[in-house]
Amino acid sequence: MSIAHLVDDDEAIRDALSWLLRSRGISSESWDSAEAFLADYRDGMRGCLILDIRMGAISGPELFAQLRARGCRMPAIFLTGHGDVPQAVDAIKKGAFDFIEKPFNDNELADRVIAAMQADAELFSAAATTAGIEARLALLTTREREVMERVLAGKFNKVIADELNIAMRTVEVHRSRVFEKMGVRSAVDLAQILAQLAKPDQTSS
Amino acid sequence: MSIAHLVDDDEAIRDALSWLLRSRGISSESWDSAEAFLADYRDGMRGCLILDIRMGAISGPELFAQLRARGCRMPAIFLTGHGDVPQAVDAIKKGAFDFIEKPFNDNELADRVIAAMQADAELFSAAATTAGIEARLALLTTREREVMERVLAGKFNKVIADELNIAMRTVEVHRSRVFEKMGVRSAVDLAQILAQLAKPDQTSS
DNA sequence: TTCGCCCCTGCGGAAATCCACAATGGCGTC
DNA sequence: GACGCCATTGTGGATTTCCGCAGGGGCGAA
């Protein structure tokens, strides 16, 4: 279940938003401060963030930055009462999903939240595959990784054997074990799945 | 020589900006409308764009969209007189480099322009390498491309031969010609350079 | 028509990969 | 100490790749 995580120090806004979202079939949870949310935050949370810009000690953008630093990739929608262009520009540049002025149009906001939820779903499925790849990568032994690097550099087993001062046969064994553990059947496949790992694709609006 | 391309219907602004930039060692050229700029626009132009939001028939964002459609990748800085948050958010999401309100701070604006110039330079060098790859790719014949696809799919020459209903020897010939034309020596190398082609890397402020 | 480019094919050999079978030694855990 | 995991190596053979040599047919441009 993915839910909207609402952080705003204004109870009226929290109530209005959670009611609005519920009416669209979106469940939400609320916090009255960034600190409160940070205390509850857990890796792997799903859904989206709806953050007020101005809050107590920690502002929305600051909260967002801290969450990002902690690995959170949930799409964030910022709410602001006073149209601050530089802040909006800055937020979007830093990866915010959207930046909306209060008072907001109910329909529009709900649509944006739904879009954010969808973005999160896509991010999640993308992350699932890369996580799988990384998990397999973690299973490799040191030697296997050394061999893999050189295989990806397009070197012949013979050359790799020389570089590592081991017999060609040993290289072959490592090589095939790498393929096996990574679930691929050729060096080309390996190169391709590793290439997609280093390539996060950006989605917006 | 990279220069700032200034498009604004207000002569006073154009003059002020070009003077400001000149004082920082940045040369610029000015147009008084989007139409005028579009008429002069040529592929391969270098530098950055400084676009007014509100202009005659074609607005800054519209001009930007048209340029992007025509392949222009110059970083664009938008100037706006009235702080319009939704417009700013939209512009940044669509890839604008920056969105600045008038009246602007001279120092800040100059800094942003310099940053945009630098972004353009990075884009250019990145584009140069991908352009090289695409140029080589364009040299391949249809058959060679068909073979290449299947090689990248990790298929054996034998399988490829079956799929294309040609002799294995022919596949080998195409395969080696592909390597030759692409300037690589193994299928792994090929996979890697093609992977980097599909991966534009985003740079912002 | 001649020339160039592309697609196709066969032969044969050198080089590399892939793989099953078989084994040794180190190292840490239970 | 037995067991498991890792790194290492060898033999030998099947499979694949890589490549030079040699040649045929189609097709469009000069």
Side-chain angles (χ1 to χ4, degrees), chain A residues 51-55 58-61 78-82 87 91 99:
Chain A
L51 311 177
D52 191 27
I53 291 289
R54 298 192 54 150
M55 290 187 293
I58 303 181
S59 72
F78 286 106
L79 298 180
T80 178
H82 46 304
Q87 194 137 45
F99 193 99

Side-chain angles (χ1 to χ4, degrees), chain A residues 35-68:
Chain A
E35 291 87 339
F37 181 72
L38 280 169
D40 284 356
Y41 175 72
R42 293 293 174 272
D43 289 343
M45 272 188 179
R46 296 288 306 281
C48 73
L49 298 165
I50 302 179
L51 311 177
D52 191 27
I53 291 289
R54 298 192 54 150
M55 290 187 293
I58 303 181
S59 72
E62 257 178 86
L63 170 58
F64 182 60
Q66 286 192 30
L67 289 172
R68 280 297 174 106

